[in-house]
Amino acid sequence: MSSTYTEKDVGDFFDQTTQTYLSFWDSEGVLHTGYFAGEDDRDYRAAAERTSQIMAAEAGIDASSHVLDVGCGCGNFLIHLATRHGCKGEGLDLSLERIKFARQLADPRLGIEFSHGSATAMPYPDETFSHVVSQDALFLVPDKARSHAEILRVLRPGGIFAFSDFLQPAKEIGERARRHVYDRVKWSSGYSLVGYQAALERAGFEILLARNLESHIRQTYRVLGAMARERAESTQDPAARDWILAFAESCGEIQIAIDQGEFGWGVFVARRPQ
């Protein structure tokens, strides 16, 4: 049986878990899927950085770009874009705790801002941004069609929507995958790679790129599971240690879900027509 989560459920979950994630995953808030060099690659930070570099290149972001990062989390991707490419931009996220962290992390001289809000009711005028980006966040939006309509609205004609997101390749999800993958982060349901393209086209986008990156998400959770087990050994607080160990267990279950076609990851680039 699937569960239906609200935006409040999602926001509350990430508000409550932000500090725990920071304590064992990455203290600077890099909490995204990595693009790894291969199965022997164990450098999570370098892999996460590579994901950001690839997405920026595919989107064609440069110093003239005005970028919105939807589901910006702790702000790292937008900070990366502003630092590396000189663009201006804004970040939007349902989690107030992550927005607070992003505001503290960002150098004020970068010319970027972070706001607490919903992807289904964005606080921006029509045709504001040259680019909308997102890393591993839009799958959590319950009303995905509404978020796509909002992204189209705030993009300029000819603007680019470039993002990575988690996929639901199979229509039916088993109980184990539901518990360890979907319910764990308050995820109701998602798209397959083909289904995502169809949804974007229904919203009015032109598809430029859709790439399946299943091997990279499998490696991400293999590496994160090992990191979590190591961190648990040095964690003194019993509640935090139990949470980290439960996450490590879920990392193993997530890899099984990937192998069974119940969980995936992809990168997409789409355009708002002129």
Side-chain angles (χ1 to χ4, degrees):
M1 296 291 292
S2 63
S3 301
T4 300
Y5 296 104
T6 66
E7 288 192 356
K8 185 178 186 306
D9 293 331
V10 174
D12 288 349
F13 170 76
F14 285 99
D15 280 345
Q16 294 161 8
T17 59
T18 290
Q19 290 305 317
T20 306
Y21 272 108
L22 292 170
S23 71
F24 82 92
W25 191 327
D26 186 273
S27 61
E28 294 184 5
V30 178
L31 307 174
H32 300 297
T33 306
Y35 193 100
F36 289 83
E39 290 188 1
D40 295 333
D41 186 359
R42 297 291 189 272
D43 191 338
Y44 168 74
R45 283 297 298 271
E49 179 84 359
R50 198 174 295 119
T51 300
S52 295
Q53 292 169 354
I54 290 170
M55 289 184 61
E58 296 287 6
I61 291 172
D62 59 25
S64 68
S65 302
H66 188 195
V67 181
L68 171 63
D69 185 358
V70 181
C72 65
C74 294
N76 301 89
F77 187 32
L78 186 58
I79 292 170
H80 168 94
L81 295 175
T83 302
R84 292 291 188 92
H85 303 281
C87 63
K88 304 302 179 186
E90 308 218 14
L92 183 72
D93 200 271
L94 273 176
S95 169
L96 182 57
E97 290 302 311
R98 295 199 175 200
I99 287 297
K100 290 177 180 177
F101 184 91
R103 288 170 175 166
Q104 293 173 350
L105 186 65
D107 187 329
R109 294 172 294 181
L110 288 176
I112 56 178
E113 298 181 357
F114 295 96
S115 299
H116 179 227
S118 169
T120 61
M122 297 187 192
Y124 310 110
D126 295 356
E127 302 181 5
T128 298
F129 300 99
S130 63
H131 294 76
V132 173
V133 299
S134 182
Q135 283 196 40
D136 309 343
L138 295 174
F139 72 103
L140 289 169
V141 179
D143 189 348
K144 294 176 175 58
R146 181 60 189 162
S147 67
H148 297 159
E150 278 290 271
I151 290 166
L152 190 77
R153 179 184 68 79
V154 301
L155 268 175
R156 300 169 189 164
I160 296 296
F161 176 27
F163 65 101
S164 65
D165 208 7
F166 295 144
L167 304 175
Q168 180 184 326
K171 185 175 181 180
E172 299 297 329
I173 300 300
E175 181 180 346
R176 286 173 58 181
R178 175 65 58 188
R179 179 159 57 94
H180 287 282
V181 179
Y182 292 78
D183 291 346
R184 185 178 61 83
V185 293
K186 315 304 178 188
W187 178 15
S188 300
S189 63
Y191 299 114
S192 66
L193 189 77
V194 172
Y196 223 136
Q197 295 173 74
L200 293 172
E201 287 175 338
R202 285 194 298 271
F205 288 100
E206 299 173 347
I207 307 299
L208 304 181
L209 171 71
R211 184 178 298 153
N212 187 334
L213 297 174
E214 177 185 294
S215 63
H216 296 281
I217 193 172
R218 184 185 293 106
Q219 183 69 0
T220 294
Y221 281 99
R222 184 180 294 123
V223 170
L224 288 177
M227 287 170 53
R229 286 188 291 272
E230 291 174 3
R231 191 61 57 88
E233 293 179 358
S234 61
T235 299
Q236 300 301 315
D237 180 75
R241 183 170 59 251
D242 288 347
W243 194 95
I244 294 170
L245 287 172
F247 177 82
E249 179 187 357
S250 287
C251 285
E253 296 291 343
I254 288 168
Q255 292 172 63
I256 294 172
I258 294 167
D259 292 337
Q260 293 180 342
E262 297 174 300
F263 184 41
W265 186 51
V267 169
F268 302 83
V269 180
R271 177 170 54 208
R272 174 178 171 171
Q274 292 281 359

